[in-house]
Amino acid sequence: MKMLSLRNLGKTYFDPYAGAHVTAVHDVSLDVEPGEFISVVGPSGCGKTTILNMIAGFIPYSKGDILLDGKPVHGPGPERGVVFQSFALFPWKTVLDNVGFGPKMRGVPKAERDRIAREYLALAGLSHAAHRYPNELSGGMQQRVGVVRALANNPDVLLMDEPFASVDAQTRMTLQEELTRIWQERKPTVIFITHDVAEAVFLANRVVVLSKGRVLDQIAVDLPRPRVWDDLVKDDRFKQLSARVLQMVRAA
Amino acid sequence: MQVTGSLKGRSSRLIRSVNSLLGAAMFVAPLLALVAIWAVVVPLFNVNPRVFPSVGAVGAAALDSIRDGTLFAHVGASLLRVGLGTLIGIATAVPLGIAMGVSPTVAAFLTPLFRFFSVLAGIAWIPIATLWFGYGFGAIVFVIFNAVFFVVAYNTLLGVRTIPHTLRNAAASLGAGRWALLTEVLLPGALPNIVTGIRTGLGFAWRGLIAAEMIATNVGLGYMLFVARDFYRTEVIVFGMIVIGVLWLLIDRLLLVPLERATIERWGMVRRA
């Protein structure tokens, strides 16, 4: 696995409605260790989604560098997997074929990619849904598919853009617990964008707080794993950390 | 468990087949009502057969044309032309529509042309088509191709544009190249609109076919109507019209509707009708 570095990253674009240049990201530098789980929080407009889209290669960056193991990245690529807020599953493919899509793009033969897809579906407790279509699944199940579809491609970095924002509160907690469990099992490098402070602290090893296109502060989360909500809601350390992050976000 | 499972399967299958029978009956009933009114009105007002035929006369004309094989010759000729013209139309329109959907430049350049030619599509081309291809097969296939081409291309363009951008991003971040993006995302994503385009286009094509066959050939359903008119054979004309209508319903029900069911309805991309 590889190290991801952002060096003085910036994004300025022309806003045709305002008729002016707008700077969404001023100057962001960040190193993400292999196998690290970082959450990026901040108020709306702080540039967190823009940063993620630049790392994913969906939009070009205006200044600075994005380096994966020292090499600059441009454009989307399979070494950076993405989990979307809107799930972005292919409606015309079964769950199995959605998860097997990445391996298919690598030229993995059908039988082998089905085996890989089944393995990852089992990891998310979705074996029974292999032959259903996305529209036949609940939102929570669709996003489980979204997560394992990205993981099945074995990316160096997993980029998650508010992936649980559009599911109900109960399901969100379950998905968060499942994500920490899967992360512990596979140890992918994760950058998780959210505006939910509790979610950020619950999931991450490190929380990065953004404000107006800059890194405001970073907080290490030393909570033990496995993390489950039943324990953490009563945990003083969790409450302390959450309160600190929340204070920063509100002041941001 | 297995017994109840299979019983459940059987009863739901039964319900489904009863439902589809019921649906078919609901569909046929208004048509039968029309025939019934016709069967009553024509003798009641003693309508001149040169103005409108009786049900019996049309039935006899149908039997005649089946017995001497002319019906099959006409239907076969018409279906071949419509099939070939439609296939060529789809095969050329879908790639162009996708190119327009992917490239704003291509779309901007071609859109005015499309607006212009979609008004003209189909029968307005018959005179010049006969000059280019002579009276016969080529001219008719061209008119059908023309009727299908513009509406399918335009719908394909719409289809590509309605694919959410995140799906393209998702494919790219999973390693899809340009070709995979085309076959795995753009084509299936545009399919609901492409099917709509084919349905509309085939409707135009079918009408264009009849018009073209009245002018440009010596076999086919349009020709059958046109020749019958010269001999005041209203029963042949009405029978021909019925065949044209029924064939269209069959094409729509047996070809296009099942295609929609098997694909885009299953994927939840259009609401079930």
Side-chain angles (χ1 to χ4, degrees):
Chain A
M1 238 182 301
K2 294 168 185 167
M3 166 111 163
L4 177 75
S5 304
L6 313 184
R7 296 257 185 279
N8 306 105
L9 188 65
K11 176 70 185 176
T12 303
Y13 62 93
F14 183 74
D15 181 352
Y17 299 105
H21 287 276
V22 178
T23 301
V25 178
H26 278 278
D27 186 353
V28 170
S29 294
L30 191 68
D31 286 325
V32 188
E33 299 293 332
E36 194 179 11
F37 195 130
I38 72 163
S39 291
V40 178
V41 289
S44 308
C46 71
K48 53 190 191 292
T49 294
T50 307
I51 291 175
L52 188 108
N53 281 333
M54 287 192 286
I55 301 173
F58 299 150
I59 54 175
Y61 40 96
S62 321
K63 70 173 188 92
D65 280 307
I66 298 174
L67 305 170
L68 196 59
D69 240 16
K71 292 185 205 80
V73 297
H74 294 284
E79 72 286 350
R80 285 155 289 141
V82 183
V83 181
F84 297 83
Q85 185 179 346
S86 58
F87 316 147
L89 302 179
F90 305 118
W92 47 85
K93 289 182 181 294
T94 60
V95 165
L96 191 72
D97 288 343
N98 262 284
V99 178
F101 187 82
K104 184 178 183 182
M105 293 303 104
R106 291 201 308 267
V108 176
K110 172 86 178 140
E112 173 63 7
R113 64 176 188 255
D114 280 359
R115 193 196 59 73
I116 295 171
R118 281 182 196 287
E119 178 198 323
Y120 278 92
L121 285 174
L123 189 66
L126 279 170
S127 299
H128 62 284
H131 295 291
R132 315 237 320 251
Y133 284 90
N135 78 303
E136 299 168 328
L137 308 180
S138 68
M141 284 168 80
Q142 289 190 42
Q143 195 57 301
R144 285 185 180 93
V145 178
V147 172
V148 293
R149 180 179 68 173
L151 279 176
N153 217 14
N154 250 322
D156 293 321
V157 186
L158 187 62
L159 306 167
M160 305 184 77
D161 183 16
E162 304 197 33
F164 306 146
S166 49
V167 297
D168 65 88
Q170 299 297 320
T171 309
R172 190 178 311 142
M173 292 173 122
T174 314
L175 289 173
Q176 288 158 352
E177 290 176 346
E178 281 178 18
L179 180 61
T180 57
R181 176 177 60 76
I182 290 173
W183 178 80
Q184 267 189 289
E185 245 174 79
R186 304 265 154 171
K187 286 283 161 63
T189 311
V190 181
I191 300 179
F192 191 102
I193 304 285
T194 180
H195 58 260
D196 180 340
V197 167
E199 177 174 69
V201 174
F202 179 86
L203 294 170
N205 303 116
R206 177 158 56 118
V207 177
V208 177
V209 183
L210 285 190
S211 169
K212 302 185 182 87
R214 291 191 173 85
V215 176
L216 192 67
D217 207 347
Q218 307 192 30
I219 295 146
V221 180
D222 47 8
L223 296 168
R225 295 180 187 264
R227 296 178 188 168
V228 281
W229 279 110
D230 287 345
D231 299 339
L232 283 187
V233 285
K234 294 171 287 192
D235 188 286
D236 286 334
R237 184 83 192 119
F238 175 75
K239 285 185 210 164
Q240 255 174 29
L241 285 166
S242 302
R244 239 181 91 198
V245 175
L246 184 65
Q247 224 170 16
M248 282 185 207
V249 171
R250 298 202 67 186
Chain B
M1 278 315 277
Q2 215 159 12
V3 176
T4 52
S6 79
L7 267 180
K8 211 172 141 200
R10 208 176 297 161
S11 68
S12 76
R13 223 171 301 139
L14 188 71
I15 288 167
R16 226 176 303 142
S17 55
V18 167
N19 271 346
S20 66
L21 267 180
L22 215 69
M26 295 267 282
F27 189 84
V28 172
L31 300 173
L32 287 179
L34 188 67
V35 174
I37 293 168
W38 170 23
V40 173
V41 166
V42 169
L44 190 67
F45 293 97
N46 200 16
V47 177
N48 184 339
R50 284 190 171 195
V51 174
F52 206 82
S54 68
V55 175
V58 171
L63 281 179
D64 279 348
S65 69
I66 291 168
R67 217 173 288 139
D68 65 16
T70 50
L71 176 66
F72 305 109
H74 291 310
V75 168
S78 291
L79 285 181
L80 178 67
R81 290 161 184 159
V82 124
L84 190 66
T86 304
L87 281 182
I88 298 173
I90 294 170
T92 48
V94 169
L96 185 74
I98 287 188
M100 288 172 75
V102 173
S103 160
T105 323
V106 178
F109 185 76
L110 291 179
T111 300
L113 293 177
F114 267 71
R115 293 261 163 80
F116 181 77
F117 279 110
S118 52
V119 178
L120 287 173
I123 52 179
W125 285 84
I126 294 172
I128 203 155
T130 55
L131 287 180
W132 291 349
F133 299 98
Y135 284 83
F137 191 75
I140 298 169
V141 171
F142 176 79
V143 168
I144 290 169
F145 153 78
N146 189 296
V148 172
F149 177 81
F150 289 100
V151 62
V152 172
Y154 193 65
N155 275 279
T156 307
L157 161 70
L158 289 183
V160 171
R161 287 214 178 136
T162 52
I163 299 170
H165 211 80
T166 50
L167 287 186
R168 291 201 218 176
N169 281 344
S173 73
L174 287 164
R178 292 172 77 98
W179 181 251
L181 193 69
L182 178 70
T183 57
E184 304 275 350
V185 179
L186 299 181
L187 266 179
L191 198 62
N193 289 75
I194 294 175
V195 172
T196 306
I198 292 173
R199 268 181 107 162
T200 320
L202 259 180
F204 289 162
W206 198 235
R207 269 164 257 165
L209 168 84
I210 305 304
E213 284 180 343
M214 287 186 183
I215 297 164
T217 185
N218 53 13
V219 64
L221 290 166
Y223 175 79
M224 176 177 153
L225 299 193
F226 201 67
V227 167
R229 180 203 160 273
D230 285 348
F231 299 97
Y232 300 98
R233 298 281 306 272
T234 54
E235 74 279 10
V236 176
I237 296 176
V238 169
F239 172 60
M241 290 166 72
I242 293 173
V243 172
I244 289 165
V246 168
L247 272 180
W248 171 250
L249 289 181
L250 288 178
I251 291 172
D252 195 55
R253 292 270 133 183
L254 299 181
L255 221 66
L256 300 177
V257 173
L259 177 70
E260 269 187 14
R261 275 242 168 97
T263 56
I264 55 186
E265 271 188 24
R266 177 108 205 259
W267 305 336
M269 292 167 75
V270 290
R271 226 165 291 142
R272 268 158 244 260

